[in-house]
Amino acid sequence: HVDTAEVNPSHSNMSAPPHPQPPAKGASHAAGDFSYVGIDAILEQMRRKAMKQGFELNIMIVGQSGLGKSTLMNTLFKSKVSRKSVVSTPEERIPKTIEIKSISHDIEEKGVRMKLTVIDTPGFGDHINNENCWQPIMKFINDQYEQYLQEEINIDRKKRIPDSRVHCCMYFIPPTGHCLRPLDVEFMSRLSKVVNIVPVIAKADTLTLEERDFFKQTIREELRANGIDVYPQKEFDEDSDDRMINDKIREMIPFAVVGSNQEYQVNGKRLLGRKTKWGTIEVENIAHCEFAHLRDLLIRTHMQNIKDITSSIHYEVYRVRRLNETNGQPNAQPPNTLDSNIKYIMIHT
Amino acid sequence: RMHMTNYDNFLSLPLSLSRSLSLSLSRSLSLFLSLSQEKQYVGFATLPNQVHRKSVKKGFDFTLMVAGESGMGKSTLVNSLFLTDLYKDRKLLNAEERINQTVEIIKHTVDIEEKGVKLKLTIVDTPGFGDAVNNNECWKPITDYIDQQFEQYFRDESGLNRKNIQDNRVHCCLYFIPPFGHGLRPVDVEFMKALHEKVNVVPLIAKADCLTPNEIKKLKDRVREEIERFGIKVYQFPECDSDEDEEFKQLDKELKECCPLAVIGSNTVVEARGQRVRGRLYPWGIVEVENQSHCDFVKLRNMLIRSHMHDLKDVTCDVHYENYRAQCIQDMTSKLTQDNRMESPIPILPLSTPDVETDRLIKMKDEEVNCYVIMGNITYIG
């Protein structure tokens, strides 16, 4: 049972936000700073607004059952956020068709509020015939884009359009140690075109370090050979700073992870881990597995970037495609009574 | 220590940049680093900082309009506010030349950088406003300009390539009320009413150094009362959150009570009380622009730049622009109707496969009115 003393998955009450700096220190500035206008204060204004509004994050997890997806989610967010925590029946059943299950939680840390939605896909890859098992997932992702688009073109639209778009799809690769399976390649090559894919090697505690490195290298080569662009995609690096940081990440992915909800005593400290007869695997120890790297990438450094790529690239691609589709309606031809004086009408071809 | 090495992989670059970052960014980096060392944190508290980083890279923009008769000190005030020299080569027209002058719209753009934060500031000047003998509807070029920026943004937003949309919408209009009269004049009222639903109007009492404190108070009270009486919707400062600290709440209260702000501008530096200050030198004393007991310049600067710039932009986007957009769609679709029945139009997207519901809607609309308006690739049926 994870000690969640610091993180409060709260519902209604919020701990007090960090002590805000009064943005206008007029008197104290006038004396010292003769040539100071104060435009950097806009950062503080933005931060306050962001803190008030809170953030949203939608993560989808895809992979065969038994790969530790739910456990990993719980480990990442240090609380019970996966669907397993909500469902009361402990028995595992494989659904007949792939289901898409969304669970949302409001979590909060140091005054920053986040609505986290974990989208689970039970049934993926579990059947005898897995053809087209990516279709329901693809449809779900596109449906979210469609929903956002409909709201965006609405005449009376909301101030802040609720964002249900999938920001990141974590794809769990079983730790075979050899190479990607056809299913992995099919799924990732299709979905990487519409969503940010973050592949992870699940249950990595069955691989030695050499096996792990070999496996990762093979996976990277196969991704390259199949033209699969996983996050962080090279073409979306904004500038040389980004490229340098992201190049380093691209040399490390896919991260080999181990998840756990249990704590053990190791060297006098309580750590998350998996206890075996031959030793205890420490989840957050980078010498044991790469969970910490995944967490840092996903949450601490690149979370906003993942959301930005979703909204400014993947969503825009969808939108352009939709707007370019020819209308199948015969009635859709504008009638001949158009007033030629009206200058507001623009037709894009 | 071991945790730190994780970050050396990803973030050794930003750490080296920290030397040139502003205080707030350095603070956020140290929050970030402290979080990285705290195992019990998930770490998404760094999200506001991640957003920060992006904004600092991109920079900000702000469009400020100034309106009022000639000689109200508008240019000087703008230069004082942003410490710029935007009107170097300006030629002032004489009375004769002004007889045939119409209201112009002139834009000045300047890039300001301070503590690593870049601001692209656009000042929209309105020379000629209120200067003619007959000033009927002299605000029309101004409202047209504001609408044009909205229209441009609407088009861009509805278009296919939205990567680099330029936002030229006017975020705030400073309106200069002369200090010589006894309150609002008819042209002041009409101007503000023509603009108050299109832009954030911030009325100012100009050249306040010709009034005594009592006279200022009387004038402010009078103007406030008239603004209310004529139903002019000037920019409202948002309410303070209950959890703000006392200092902030106090500042906010003082600001609200001081409106309309009485300002003086100056870019000349004089010596007063042993210090170099920006001010105006008179035989009877020196008026210090940044002295809060002399005028409200500091309050205006703080409000405009340091505390409410973001809110001004938000209200422009969320309220004024949205109103324009909704009205524009209504107008476009109702223009085409035979009679003036203004039904609420609906937006539809092109469909690759016929949709039963939309098909029915289109047939229904066809029977009543035959009008389609297409903005970008989005069709609005009315």
Side-chain angles (χ1 to χ4, degrees):
Chain A
H1 195 72
V2 180
D3 180 4
T4 52
E6 280 348 285
V7 177
N8 311 308
S10 70
H11 299 286
S12 52
N13 84 331
M14 231 176 68
S15 62
H19 186 79
Q21 295 292 321
K25 286 189 172 164
S28 58
H29 268 294
D33 251 321
F34 198 62
S35 52
Y36 175 67
V37 175
I39 58 178
D40 59 326
I42 195 165
L43 290 181
E44 183 61 33
Q45 297 172 39
M46 269 184 58
R47 158 197 268 286
R48 277 167 160 227
K49 178 170 182 206
M51 300 282 280
K52 272 213 291 198
Q53 270 183 349
F55 297 85
E56 291 167 299
L57 183 69
N58 307 319
I59 300 187
M60 178 182 264
I61 49 182
V62 180
Q64 288 168 301
S65 72
L67 285 180
K69 304 189 294 292
S70 304
T71 307
L72 188 69
M73 279 296 115
N74 292 345
T75 315
L76 266 175
F77 290 98
K78 289 204 185 316
S79 37
K80 296 203 186 314
V81 293
S82 70
R83 79 184 150 98
K84 295 242 176 101
S85 49
V86 176
V87 168
S88 52
T89 55
E91 55 179 72
E92 249 323 277
R93 86 195 210 300
I94 293 178
K96 289 230 165 55
T97 54
I98 297 168
E99 297 173 349
I100 312 273
K101 290 206 157 109
S102 270
I103 310 242
S104 295
H105 289 265
D106 287 317
I107 53 182
E108 188 242 325
E109 192 174 75
K110 290 205 165 175
V112 177
R113 283 157 37 235
M114 183 156 83
K115 175 164 170 249
L116 171 71
T117 303
V118 177
I119 303 148
D120 207 341
T121 55
F124 176 86
D126 287 331
H127 303 114
I128 297 173
N129 182 357
N130 288 309
E131 267 181 1
N132 299 331
C133 64
W134 49 81
Q135 270 174 0
I137 296 174
M138 186 81 120
K139 180 174 186 309
F140 178 84
I141 291 175
N142 284 333
D143 283 349
Q144 309 316 305
Y145 289 149
E146 182 67 26
Q147 200 177 328
Y148 194 89
L149 180 59
Q150 290 288 351
E151 183 59 41
E152 204 183 40
I153 64 171
N154 217 349
I155 292 159
D156 199 5
R157 52 193 190 181
K158 299 198 179 90
K159 199 185 284 203
R160 215 181 143 219
I161 302 175
D163 192 0
S164 64
R165 300 173 294 190
V166 179
H167 300 126
C168 165
C169 174
M170 277 180 57
Y171 187 75
F172 286 67
I173 300 169
T176 61
H178 294 212
C179 58
L180 290 175
R181 303 162 302 156
L183 175 63
D184 301 332
V185 174
E186 276 277 7
F187 180 87
M188 286 198 279
S189 87
R190 283 164 194 275
L191 275 276
S192 59
K193 298 192 170 65
V194 297
V195 70
N196 293 320
I197 300 226
V198 174
V200 294
I201 298 171
K203 296 203 161 172
D205 50 343
T206 61
L207 297 169
T208 64
L209 291 186
E210 292 83 16
E211 289 165 347
R212 183 177 90 186
D213 286 340
F214 173 76
F215 191 28
K216 287 214 273 181
Q217 203 181 332
T218 312
I219 292 176
R220 281 197 294 268
E221 277 166 19
E222 288 188 318
L223 289 176
R224 239 191 314 269
N226 284 287
I228 300 173
D229 271 324
V230 297
Y231 183 82
Q233 300 93 330
K234 217 179 172 82
E235 58 176 322
F236 304 144
D237 287 338
E238 275 174 33
D239 52 35
S240 52
D241 287 345
D242 274 355
R243 199 166 308 128
M244 281 216 248
I245 297 172
N246 290 343
D247 276 345
K248 290 196 181 124
I249 296 171
R250 284 187 277 262
E251 281 163 36
M252 293 172 75
I253 54 167
F255 292 124
V257 295
V258 172
S260 167
N261 282 340
Q262 291 199 294
E263 281 187 340
Y264 294 98
Q265 196 83 3
V266 176
N267 291 338
K269 288 190 282 185
R270 286 197 72 73
L271 298 172
L272 278 177
R274 291 173 59 72
K275 193 172 175 143
T276 64
K277 289 270 193 304
W278 48 91
T280 302
I281 303 151
E282 296 159 43
V283 167
E284 281 168 314
N285 184 340
I286 51 163
H288 289 195
C289 79
E290 297 178 314
F291 170 81
H293 289 310
L294 175 69
R295 178 203 52 209
D296 294 341
L297 175 73
L298 213 50
I299 299 174
R300 294 184 185 185
T301 58
H302 285 66
M303 187 185 267
Q304 187 58 40
N305 182 246
I306 286 172
K307 294 175 68 177
D308 287 341
I309 303 231
T310 305
S311 66
S312 61
I313 296 174
H314 293 303
Y315 170 70
E316 289 296 312
V317 165
Y318 177 84
R319 179 177 174 274
V320 168
R321 188 164 55 89
R322 279 293 276 129
L323 296 187
N324 270 331
E325 277 164 2
T326 52
N327 200 321
Q329 310 291 328
N331 311 351
Q333 295 306 311
N336 296 328
T337 53
L338 276 180
D339 187 345
S340 57
N341 284 335
I342 294 171
K343 56 185 191 297
Y344 294 101
I345 299 177
M346 262 176 44
I347 300 177
H348 279 180
T349 46
Chain B
R1 259 283 100 187
M2 182 144 76
H3 254 286
M4 279 304 291
T5 57
N6 294 348
Y7 296 91
D8 290 347
N9 283 337
F10 296 176
L11 296 172
S12 49
L13 286 167
L15 285 176
S16 69
L17 285 176
S18 67
R19 262 174 266 120
S20 57
L21 287 175
S22 73
L23 180 62
S24 69
L25 286 182
S26 308
R27 224 187 291 128
S28 64
L29 258 180
S30 57
L31 163 69
F32 176 80
L33 292 174
S34 76
L35 270 185
S36 74
Q37 282 152 358
E38 309 266 15
K39 290 208 188 156
Q40 61 269 40
Y41 287 110
V42 175
F44 64 84
T46 59
L47 258 180
N49 308 327
Q50 295 180 38
V51 176
H52 253 201
R53 192 165 167 259
K54 185 168 191 236
S55 302
V56 171
K57 275 210 274 190
K58 252 182 39 166
F60 299 88
D61 60 67
F62 190 71
T63 303
L64 179 69
M65 178 182 267
V66 288
E69 294 170 354
S70 296
M72 285 289 107
K74 305 188 293 292
S75 315
T76 310
L77 187 72
V78 165
N79 282 336
S80 306
L81 277 172
F82 296 99
L83 301 180
T84 53
D85 196 4
L86 288 174
Y87 301 92
K88 270 193 297 262
D89 304 317
R90 184 173 69 157
K91 287 193 179 60
L92 292 172
L93 304 175
N94 61 29
E96 221 182 321
E97 286 165 326
R98 282 188 192 172
I99 288 178
N100 293 319
Q101 189 192 29
T102 51
V103 178
E104 285 177 87
I105 307 282
I106 299 186
K107 273 169 46 168
H108 301 269
T109 304
V110 64
D111 288 314
I112 305 176
E113 178 161 348
E114 214 171 51
K115 299 200 173 167
V117 179
K118 297 192 278 280
L119 176 71
K120 177 167 160 255
L121 173 71
T122 304
I123 304 288
V124 179
D125 228 335
T126 55
F129 172 82
D131 285 342
V133 175
N134 180 358
N135 288 309
N136 262 342
E137 303 233 316
C138 61
W139 48 84
K140 192 137 193 325
I142 297 173
T143 53
D144 284 348
Y145 177 82
I146 295 175
D147 282 342
Q148 275 159 28
Q149 309 316 306
F150 281 156
E151 189 196 314
Q152 180 68 50
Y153 194 84
F154 187 15
R155 277 213 202 131
D156 290 346
E157 195 191 36
S158 307
L160 292 178
N161 188 346
R162 310 201 294 182
K163 264 210 168 85
N164 292 314
I165 297 184
Q166 254 219 325
D167 187 3
N168 293 320
R169 297 175 292 185
V170 180
H171 299 121
C172 177
C173 175
L174 297 179
Y175 183 67
F176 290 67
I177 301 168
F180 315 122
H182 293 281
L184 298 177
R185 305 160 302 162
V187 69
D188 300 328
V189 175
E190 290 309 305
F191 176 84
M192 288 198 277
K193 288 192 79 163
L195 259 70
H196 66 175
E197 276 169 354
K198 293 181 191 287
V199 72
N200 295 315
V201 174
V202 175
L204 301 173
I205 296 175
K207 294 200 162 176
D209 54 345
C210 74
L211 299 172
T212 66
N214 260 343
E215 289 165 348
I216 288 188
K217 183 174 181 316
K218 279 211 189 91
L219 183 56
K220 283 189 181 184
D221 287 343
R222 183 75 187 264
V223 168
R224 261 202 299 269
E225 184 262 325
E226 286 173 339
I227 283 176
E228 172 129 8
R229 180 155 39 101
F230 289 110
I232 301 170
K233 298 181 217 160
V234 296
Y235 171 68
Q236 296 295 325
F237 304 109
E239 286 307 316
C240 246
D241 294 325
S242 52
D243 48 17
E244 298 285 8
D245 66 1
E246 279 314 306
E247 189 185 342
F248 187 72
K249 280 191 190 161
Q250 184 60 27
L251 284 172
D252 187 64
K253 185 160 167 284
E254 281 173 14
L255 179 62
K256 286 180 177 149
E257 284 168 1
C258 252
C259 284
L261 298 175
V263 293
I264 302 165
S266 166
N267 257 357
T268 50
V269 179
V270 293
E271 179 102 9
R273 299 177 287 119
Q275 276 186 318
R276 289 173 68 236
V277 296
R278 288 195 185 87
R280 293 173 60 73
L281 176 62
Y282 291 109
W284 49 88
I286 298 173
V287 178
E288 297 163 50
V289 166
E290 290 182 34
N291 185 331
Q292 299 219 46
S293 60
H294 288 194
C295 73
D296 299 327
F297 173 83
V298 170
K299 287 201 170 67
L300 175 66
R301 181 190 56 200
N302 288 345
M303 183 277 286
L304 198 58
I305 301 171
R306 300 182 191 180
S307 57
H308 287 76
M309 186 181 268
H310 200 65
D311 187 63
L312 285 165
K313 293 177 72 172
D314 280 349
V315 174
T316 305
C317 295
D318 298 340
V319 178
H320 299 300
Y321 171 69
E322 289 296 313
N323 286 341
Y324 170 84
R325 183 178 168 270
Q327 189 62 50
C328 194
I329 296 170
Q330 291 272 9
D331 289 349
M332 288 193 295
T333 50
S334 73
K335 262 191 170 92
L336 296 174
T337 59
Q338 303 298 358
D339 49 332
N340 273 331
R341 251 182 318 145
M342 269 222 291
E343 272 202 37
S344 181
I346 51 169
I348 59 164
L349 285 172
L351 300 164
S352 50
T353 53
D355 177 77
V356 171
E357 179 60 24
T358 310
D359 207 8
R360 183 184 72 81
L361 278 169
I362 292 178
K363 285 209 169 68
M364 193 175 82
K365 289 289 180 184
D366 257 351
E367 284 154 27
E368 298 166 351
V369 293
N370 253 347
C371 68
Y372 300 79
V373 174
I374 301 167
M375 178 63 97
N377 282 57
I378 302 166
T379 308
Y380 295 96
I381 319 179

